[in-house]
Amino acid sequence: MHLYSLALISAALVGSISAQNVFYGSFIHSVNVTNLEHVTKGVIAVDRTGKIVQVETNTSETQARQIATKYRVSLTLLGNQKFLMPGLIDTHIHAPQYVFTGSGMDLQLLDWLNTYTFPREARFNDTSYARDAYNKVVDRLVRGGTTAASYYATIHLESSKILADIVEKKGQRALVGKVNMDRNSPDFYVESTAQSLKDTETFIQYVLSKNNSRVIPIVTPRFVPSCTTELMKGLGNLAAKYNVPIQSHLDENLDEIAWVKQLHPDQPDYTSVYDVNGLLTNRTIMAHVVHPTDAERQLLKQRGAGISHCPNSNFSLRSGIAKVRQMLAEGQKIGLGTDVAGGYGTSILNTIRTGYFAAIARSFDHPDDKYLKLAEIFYLATLGGADVLGMKNTLGNFVVGKQFDALIVDPLARGSPIDLFSHDDVKTIFEKFINNGDDRNIIQVFVDGKSIHRV
């Protein structure tokens, strides 16, 4: 065992560390963007605050039991096929759009917004309707292994508070944003600039008053066409005043980009509109980024903004194929987003799979943009997503000092779509889960070391 681990055990003996869980068995996580670590005889010890206090990668069961005894807890044995992996991270999801997931896949972005999105989101002025929908979508994400998500709500203050309340109650980790729209929106779904800013500040204060590190407010201008310059500047000021993150959409669709150019001819590009209004920071998450110019990518990197790659939505709404290989090579912060309901479902596993094929499809016409390997796409779903959310130092893999957001996966769970054979090992079992598994295989979900879902 490592010297740092022995030191931690000694500390436990004198009562300075108190574990709540010690796991023994297989685990898989990202070390970096190109390196997956597969461990078969591992130990992960988690303290009562949910922090990982010890990790071993080559330990006998006897040694594992000794570690558990010294921490004064029972040992959790994962067994031969089960394994631990970090929780999945959804960097871009519209919670109210869950009510029409799988609908409208025959339209492009702007028509889709007017036909489906705005009428459905307008219903969330009814708090009873909102509570029912938000309970269902958060439950669905948790069952699917999404331990952290960046949510868009709607323009409605009270319903947005309800989403934050539900996330807190269910124990998920989340950024939650009240959406802002004061122009180019239907009469039945629009707000005044003054009311939008007032309600946003009230919402930020409401979420911060929870004093819950797992639930964070995020400033959420829908996109440039729906927000006046006055609103965008005001939102940038609020983000700075309260030191909270920002999320919006960028370069998703060619018609959208042309529209932004018409609205803001004084700016060189879409990204610069956000930048000049104080909305492009190292805590900003920009969804899609399918058609950025070289200058826009450089500006995103310079500001330290994160990118949410949403391959399901980019295909469904026929927006295009993002240059993920190029983004990784440039060192951009990038994670995965389901973009429900532009994306047809809530599963990050499905997003991983579509991400594979999006990269393959792009490589046909752009041979230099090589397809993504498993290590890379899994990184985007975990450690990369944590980076986009501004949480890379605390989430995304199993490292001492990070919080234990994790899944226990059983490839042979009841109803499992996976079959195993004598030749399968931890690597092939993990790959089968990523490519064939679903929520039936996720038998337990942890956030901050606490179980928030168990089959």
Side-chain angles (χ1 to χ4, degrees), residues 175 216-218 239 242-247 279-285 303-306 333 388-391:
L175 310 181
I216 299 170
I218 182 167
Y242 291 97
N243 189 28
V244 295
I246 300 159
Q247 63 183 351
L279 292 169
L280 197 67
T281 75
N282 64 358
R283 301 194 72 189
T284 296
I285 303 169
R303 296 290 184 263
K333 288 160 45 178
V388 169
L389 297 191
M391 301 177 184

Side-chain angles (χ1 to χ4, degrees), residues 87-90 335-336 348 352 376-386:
L88 299 167
I89 296 176
D90 190 341
L336 293 181
I348 287 291
I352 288 173
E376 295 169 312
I377 199 77
F378 186 71
Y379 170 89
L380 298 184
T382 54
L383 192 56

Side-chain angles (χ1 to χ4, degrees), residues 122-295:
R123 286 287 309 277
F124 282 74
N125 66 336
D126 179 344
T127 54
S128 295
Y129 183 85
R131 185 171 287 104
D132 176 58
Y134 287 151
N135 269 299
K136 287 175 179 174
V137 67
V138 176
D139 279 343
R140 181 67 63 181
L141 262 69
V142 169
R143 290 201 301 272
T146 299
T147 52
S150 189
Y151 287 112
Y152 287 56
T154 63
I155 66 173
H156 310 103
L157 174 60
E158 294 307 316
S159 291
S160 298
K161 290 180 180 179
I162 287 170
L163 176 57
D165 292 343
I166 288 170
V167 166
E168 180 179 43
K169 181 179 179 181
K170 294 183 182 296
Q172 192 185 39
R173 192 183 304 279
L175 310 181
V176 182
K178 178 209 137 350
V179 169
N180 303 100
M181 301 164 58
D182 71 339
R183 68 170 174 179
N184 295 322
S185 304
D187 292 341
F188 59 82
Y189 190 51
V190 68
E191 48 189 355
S192 70
T193 305
Q195 193 66 48
S196 184
L197 291 171
K198 180 182 178 181
D199 286 353
T200 298
E201 184 162 24
T202 299
F203 178 74
I204 292 170
Q205 293 171 341
Y206 177 79
V207 178
L208 291 177
S209 71
K210 293 178 176 293
N211 197 28
N212 184 336
S213 63
R214 290 186 297 276
V215 187
I216 299 170
I218 182 167
V219 168
T220 308
R222 183 174 217 107
F223 66 159
V224 166
S226 70
C227 298
T228 61
T229 295
E230 182 183 357
L231 178 57
M232 286 189 283
K233 284 187 179 297
L235 293 173
N237 291 336
L238 286 176
K241 177 179 178 179
Y242 291 97
N243 189 28
V244 295
I246 300 159
Q247 63 183 351
S248 196
H249 300 80
L250 176 65
D251 291 332
E252 179 177 0
N253 174 282
L254 293 174
D255 289 342
E256 166 207 16
I257 294 168
W259 191 11
V260 171
K261 187 63 178 174
Q262 290 175 354
L263 292 169
H264 296 273
D266 57 314
Q267 294 301 320
D269 51 51
Y270 198 161
T271 306
S272 296
V273 179
Y274 288 115
D275 190 44
V276 75
N277 289 300
L279 292 169
L280 197 67
T281 75
N282 64 358
R283 301 194 72 189
T284 296
I285 303 169
M286 285 297 172
H288 302 288
V289 196
V290 179
H291 305 285
T293 64
D294 291 346

